Amino acid sequence: RLAADQGDADAQCHLGVCYATGTGIDQDPGEARRLFRLAVDQGHPSAQCNLGINYMRGTGSDHDHADAARLFRLAADQGHADAQFCVGAYYKKGTGVVQDVAEALRWYR
């Protein structure tokens, strides 16, 4: 908590996961999102992917597939493998982006 409060993006992301899953602390999706956003603002790829998953699932608020796609793409461009898969899935289905099977295949590779 101390490191997260001091602005450490890794700590913010990890603490966000704890709040998202209820690991070692009471589950709080709103606090998880807040912490992920802080880390996202610092360009943290895992936080970008985690916040994208929150938007995709509608955890703590409504679904926002366009913002999820944007966050997945930010993380994917930094080499985050889970985000790359999500970008591919979004292009394959046309969720949050214009459907493009060729682009989906590019991300799956």
Side-chain angles (χ1 to χ4, degrees):
R1 167 57 81 180
L2 180 61
D5 288 343
Q6 292 175 345
D8 183 276
D10 282 331
Q12 290 165 341
C13 183
H14 289 280
L15 187 57
V17 170
C18 290
Y19 275 107
T21 62
T23 303
I25 198 162
D26 289 338
Q27 192 171 17
D28 185 342
E31 181 64 4
R33 276 188 180 216
R34 185 187 77 78
L35 289 160
F36 290 148
R37 277 191 202 105
L38 291 172
V40 163
D41 289 345
Q42 297 180 66
H44 195 281
S46 290
Q48 291 164 342
C49 187
N50 286 328
L51 188 55
I53 290 168
N54 271 241
Y55 288 144
M56 176 184 71
R57 292 181 179 162
T59 307
S61 71
D62 294 334
H63 295 274
D64 187 342
H65 291 291
D67 215 16
R70 179 186 65 81
L71 289 161
F72 289 146
R73 181 64 185 261
L74 289 172
D77 285 342
Q78 294 181 70
H80 194 283
D82 291 338
Q84 291 170 341
F85 177 83
C86 290
V87 170
Y90 265 43
Y91 275 110
K92 179 182 175 189
K93 295 178 183 178
T95 305
V97 295
V98 175
Q99 187 175 24
D100 185 336
V101 176
E103 184 69 4
L105 289 173
R106 187 177 81 75
W107 282 103
Y108 285 146
R109 294 181 187 170

